[in-house]
Amino acid sequence: MILVVLDHDGNKLRKASLEALTRSRKLAEAFGEGVAGVLLAEGQAPMEEARGYVETLYVAELGPYTAEKWAAGILEAAKAGARIIVAPSSRQSRAYMGRVAYALRAGLLEDTLESWAEGGEVYATRYAYLNRVTQKVKTAPPVVLTVKPNTTPLAEPLGQAGQVVALNIPPVPTVEVLERVQEEKRGVSLTEADVVVTGGRGMGGPEAFKQAEELAAFLGGAVGATRAVVDAGWRPYSEQVGQTGKTVQPSLYIALGVSGAVQHLAGMNKSKYIVAVNKDPEAPIFKHADYGIVGDVHQVLPALIQAVKKLKD
């Protein structure tokens, strides 16, 4: 059995889960096995939607998230005979999938770009050294594998609802969550956006991001920020792109006043097209951009917005 962890936002499956399903089906076909899903929640969960993608769906309501509880839920579902466990790559999955791999003494393949089976083993590719190198790796089952977002086609529903199996998770030693403060969700998710508009220190201040938000809205995208911007308190950490933030791989990445430090490039240099705006013609970002505009972002950004408006009209 191939077991896939179905990540969700409480109302629907995340795009990354549909990518993980595609990978799971490919491996299941190679090994001649079925695909089951595990849906863990701390309240509401899209059970009916999830049933449409797998033959068997294991479900459990675990209360507030902790890596220990999520790992326990996955391990309980894996007792049905899972040889390979697949999950979307995220900050949370990095915490709980490592625990799952250790418990199963399984090979751990994280942040994979692609994966396939060959000779009874699982192969994968992944980035290394700040995304400058692509590695090819392999391991024999049992395997724990995570799928890097925006690397895989989305799975289609099976056309019939799978059976639901409720999991009975024994209590696990864990840190007790006393309080959680969540930022209000706005617009498209940064990691799922097809267009990302990111501002750097060259934006000059938090008020300039209103125009970045306007451009992103016109393009149906999301707003990102560099670490310097987040450290300055101009934008929330949830928007940080880079080595210590989020990794994005949109079709279009617009870098406004971004110098192009290697730590930032690690989070966006695999975007399909990169457009950079910077008044410094020697800025490192231009070495990686497909299109570059040397100019003051405060003059170029309004012109970009007007150009997009004209195209929309």
Side-chain angles (χ1 to χ4, degrees):
M1 178 182 81
I2 312 297
L3 181 67
V4 55
V5 182
L6 299 175
D7 194 13
H8 60 93
D9 62 6
N11 297 309
K12 64 178 182 178
L13 296 179
R14 297 189 191 277
K15 176 184 170 185
S17 292
L18 304 186
E19 294 186 64
L21 277 160
T22 297
R23 295 279 200 92
S24 299
R25 290 174 182 176
K26 182 179 178 182
L27 291 171
E29 183 178 354
F31 282 101
E33 302 194 16
V35 176
V38 56
L39 191 69
L40 306 174
E42 49 182 295
Q44 187 175 351
M47 188 184 304
E48 289 307 312
E49 179 190 9
R51 289 181 65 193
Y53 286 92
V54 292
E55 299 157 11
T56 304
L57 179 66
Y58 297 94
V59 298
E61 202 290 318
L62 299 176
Y65 166 82
T66 68
E68 293 85 357
K69 287 192 290 188
W70 255 240
I74 294 165
L75 288 168
E76 190 66 25
K79 289 180 179 179
R83 300 176 64 213
I84 300 172
I85 301 175
V86 181
S89 181
S90 66
R91 285 190 173 276
Q92 287 189 343
S93 70
R94 288 188 190 101
Y96 62 71
M97 290 296 270
R99 289 170 165 82
V100 171
Y102 179 79
L104 296 177
R105 299 298 188 267
L108 176 60
L109 304 178
E110 290 187 299
D111 286 339
T112 61
L113 304 170
E114 57 181 341
S115 52
W116 66 96
E118 196 176 302
E121 296 182 305
V122 176
Y123 287 74
T125 58
R126 62 189 181 191
Y127 292 136
Y129 300 104
L130 298 178
N131 292 4
R132 293 178 176 180
V133 174
T134 302
Q135 292 180 330
K136 181 180 178 182
V137 292
K138 72 170 184 175
T139 187
V143 178
V144 171
L145 180 148
T146 65
V147 176
K148 190 175 183 65
N150 303 311
T151 60
T152 309
L154 306 184
E156 295 291 336
L158 296 176
Q160 60 184 23
Q163 65 171 326
V164 176
V165 177
L167 295 174
N168 182 23
I169 312 299
V172 293
T174 183
V175 172
E176 183 181 357
V177 178
L178 301 178
E179 182 184 12
R180 186 173 62 186
V181 179
Q182 273 185 293
E183 294 177 3
E184 183 180 351
K185 293 181 180 179
R186 297 182 297 176
V188 184
S189 167
L190 182 59
T191 54
E192 296 185 2
D194 198 46
V195 177
V196 174
V197 179
T198 291
R201 191 186 292 274
M203 295 290 280
E207 62 283 344
F209 276 85
K210 291 180 181 178
Q211 287 188 314
E213 290 176 350
E214 186 178 359
L215 179 60
F218 275 120
L219 295 173
V223 174
T226 62
R227 178 171 179 172
V229 165
V230 172
D231 287 348
W234 297 354
R235 303 297 290 185
Y237 172 72
S238 59
E239 294 181 0
Q240 184 175 320
V241 175
Q243 184 181 8
T244 55
K246 293 180 178 176
T247 299
V248 298
Q249 199 169 347
S251 296
L252 175 61
Y253 188 89
I254 302 176
L256 304 170
V258 175
S259 65
V262 65
Q263 291 85 356
H264 181 73
L265 293 171
M268 48 64 71
N269 64 356
K270 299 303 177 181
S271 302
K272 188 173 183 180
Y273 296 106
I274 300 172
V275 176
V277 180
N278 199 298
K279 64 182 180 182
D280 178 7
E282 302 300 321
I285 190 69
F286 287 127
K287 296 179 182 178
H288 301 271
D290 298 284
Y291 302 94
I293 302 173
V294 178
D296 187 338
V297 69
H298 301 294
Q299 296 176 351
V300 176
L301 183 51
L304 285 176
I305 293 171
Q306 289 305 313
V308 171
K309 280 183 178 179
K310 190 175 292 186
L311 286 173
K312 290 285 186 178
D313 295 339

